[in-house]
Amino acid sequence: MNAAIRAIVRTAISENLDVYGVYRGYEGLIDGEITKMESHSVSNIIQRGGTILKSARSKRFMTPEGRARAYENLLNNSIDALVVIGGNGTFTGAVEFAREYNDYPVVGLPGTIDNDLYGTDYTIGFDTAVHTVVEAVDKIRDTATSHNRLFFIEVMGRDSGYIALFSGVAAGAEYIIVPETKTYLDNIARLLKYDLRKNKTSGIVIVAEGDDQGGASQIAEKVKERLPEIDTRVTILGHIQRGGTPTPNDRVLAGILGNSSVKALREGHHGVMLGLVDKKVVETTFEDAIRKKKDFYFGLLELARTLAI
Ligand code: F6P
C-alpha cells in the first residue's frame, strides 16, 4: 500500500494538484484526520510493509450519519476526488457514498492479499503474501522431512484460495485445500496415504482458512482419524502474511495503478476500480469488482497434484 500511496502523491504533485492523505481509511475521513502530503511525505516508504496512513475497518461509514460527516470533512478541506485502496468493504462503502453525494468522484485500487477481486489479474499485496508463505513452508519442510511428518499449514483467504493455490504450487505441496472446491476428506486421506506409502516419508498440505471443512486444525484432526499411524502437525501462519518487505512485483503493480488512478480522475472517470489485466490498466465498476466472481485458476490444483507424485 505504501508504494501505491507514494505513486498517487507523486503523480498528483507532478500534475500540479494538491494531495491529502486520510489516516485510518473511512474512520479518519469521518474524524477529519486529513493531512496535506508533499513529495517528501512519501520518501523512504516504498520498501515498507503496512501503510503509513494506517488502516481500519469502519462500522461508522456503513451508516448515513458517518458518511455525512465524511462528506463534510471532504468539503471543508476542498477535496474533490478520492482514491481508496482496499477490497470488498472499501468499494461497497465507496458505492454507497457516491450514490448519496452526487456521484462524488472515487477511484479504487485493489489492495488485499486475498487476490479475490474481479477486474485485475493480481491485487496489491498478494505477491508479497505468497512470497512470505513460501519462505515459511520451505522452513517447515525441514522439520517435515527430518521427522517424517505430515504438516497442515493454514494460510489466509477467508473466501478465496488464491494464496493457498500459488504458495502450494511454489512450495511443492502434496495437497492444496481451497474454498473454491468441495473438500472430500476421504479422498485426501486416501491420496496422502498412497503418497506416503509409495515414495514419501513426509508431506505438506496447504489449507486456505475459509475451507468448507474448516481450518488446518479441524482438517488435520479429521485426516488423523482416518490415518492414525501418521505423525501430523499443524502450523497457522496468520498475520505474518500481511506484513514485511513488499516484493518488486507488488511495488511495480502499486506504482502503475497509483499513477493511473490520478490520471483516471483527471479524465473524469470514477466509480471504478483500476486493475492490471494482461499488462493493461483496465477499469471495472465497483459493483462488478465486488459482485463478479474472479476466475479461479483450477488448472494449478491439478498441476500441484501432478507434480507431487
Ligand atoms: O481480507 C483479507 C484478510 O487478509 C483475510 O484473508 C483474513 O481472513 C483477514 O483479512 C484477517 O483480517 P483481520 O486482520 O481483521 O483479522
Side-chain angles (χ1 to χ4, degrees):
M1 280 201 186
N2 283 327
I5 294 166
R6 173 178 177 269
I8 296 162
V9 168
R10 297 237 164 118
T11 305
I13 291 172
S14 75
E15 302 207 3
N16 295 317
L17 298 168
D18 285 336
V19 58
Y20 294 83
V22 179
Y23 285 98
R24 299 188 307 118
Y26 292 137
E27 279 292 283
L29 204 53
I30 293 169
D31 293 333
E33 294 171 34
I34 298 171
T35 186
K36 180 121 192 317
M37 306 288 276
E38 309 295 345
S39 185
H40 64 78
S41 318
V42 291
S43 295
N44 206 19
I45 66 167
I46 196 166
Q47 78 285 16
R48 285 165 55 190
T51 153
I52 56 161
L53 290 177
K54 299 183 177 281
S55 182
R57 300 195 194 273
S58 177
K59 287 220 170 79
R60 289 188 294 161
F61 200 73
M62 293 177 192
T63 66
E65 299 74 35
R67 292 191 292 272
R69 282 185 58 186
Y71 185 61
E72 229 168 82
N73 284 326
L74 287 169
L75 290 188
N76 290 343
N77 286 280
S78 308
I79 295 173
D80 41 32
L82 261 184
V83 180
V84 296
I85 313 173
N88 283 340
T90 309
F91 300 159
T92 306
V95 169
E96 203 51 34
F97 184 70
R99 200 181 50 76
E100 277 171 358
Y101 294 100
N102 336 304
D103 253 346
Y104 188 91
V106 188
V107 159
L109 301 187
T112 162
I113 62 167
D114 292 351
N115 199 33
D116 58 351
L117 290 168
Y118 178 86
T120 189
D121 289 340
Y122 300 107
T123 52
I124 299 165
F126 170 68
D127 192 60
T128 303
V130 169
H131 194 261
T132 303
V133 172
V134 171
E135 261 186 7
V137 176
D138 289 349
K139 289 180 181 149
I140 291 167
R141 193 179 272 287
D142 291 344
T143 299
T145 45
S146 305
H147 290 262
N148 291 353
R149 285 176 182 165
L150 177 62
F151 268 85
F152 290 83
I153 302 172
E154 182 177 303
V155 301
M156 278 186 169
R158 265 178 300 193
D159 309 304
S160 163
Y162 259 100
I163 297 177
L165 184 67
F166 273 61
S167 57
V169 172
E174 272 59 41
Y175 219 95
I176 303 170
I177 298 181
V178 293
E180 284 79 0
T181 58
K182 190 150 175 40
T183 302
Y184 296 101
L185 290 166
D186 287 334
N187 283 357
I188 293 174
R190 194 171 37 79
L191 287 167
L192 288 170
K193 189 170 180 177
Y194 177 75
D195 282 352
L196 293 170
R197 281 240 181 95
K198 201 181 62 172
N199 55 1
K200 299 196 180 200
T201 54
S202 66
I204 301 283
V205 179
I206 305 283
V207 182
E209 62 180 346
D211 190 72
D212 58 289
Q213 290 282 357
S217 305
Q218 287 100 319
I219 290 179
E221 228 168 82
K222 293 176 197 166
V223 169
K224 185 87 186 151
E225 283 164 16
R226 292 162 171 86
L227 305 173
E229 70 280 13
I230 292 173
D231 193 10
T232 58
R233 289 290 186 279
V234 172
T235 303
I236 298 173
L237 294 180
H239 285 79
I240 64 162
Q241 294 159 90
R242 299 226 311 202
T245 307
T247 60
N249 276 337
D250 262 333
R251 300 182 202 190
V252 171
L253 178 65
I256 293 169
L257 297 182
N259 171 265
S260 303
S261 65
V262 176
K263 299 200 158 142
L265 283 171
R266 294 214 83 179
E267 286 163 13
H269 304 186
H270 50 86
V272 290
M273 180 198 87
L274 301 185
L276 203 62
V277 176
D278 287 338
K279 299 197 183 70
K280 285 190 193 69
V281 176
V282 298
E283 296 182 356
T284 303
T285 62
F286 283 138
E287 287 87 348
D288 281 354
I290 299 162
R291 279 192 213 116
K292 286 199 176 168
K293 187 90 188 118
K294 189 192 192 98
D295 272 350
F296 193 68
Y297 200 163
F298 287 103
L300 283 189
L301 283 178
E302 281 162 41
L303 177 69
R305 278 304 302 161
T306 307
L307 303 186
I309 53 166

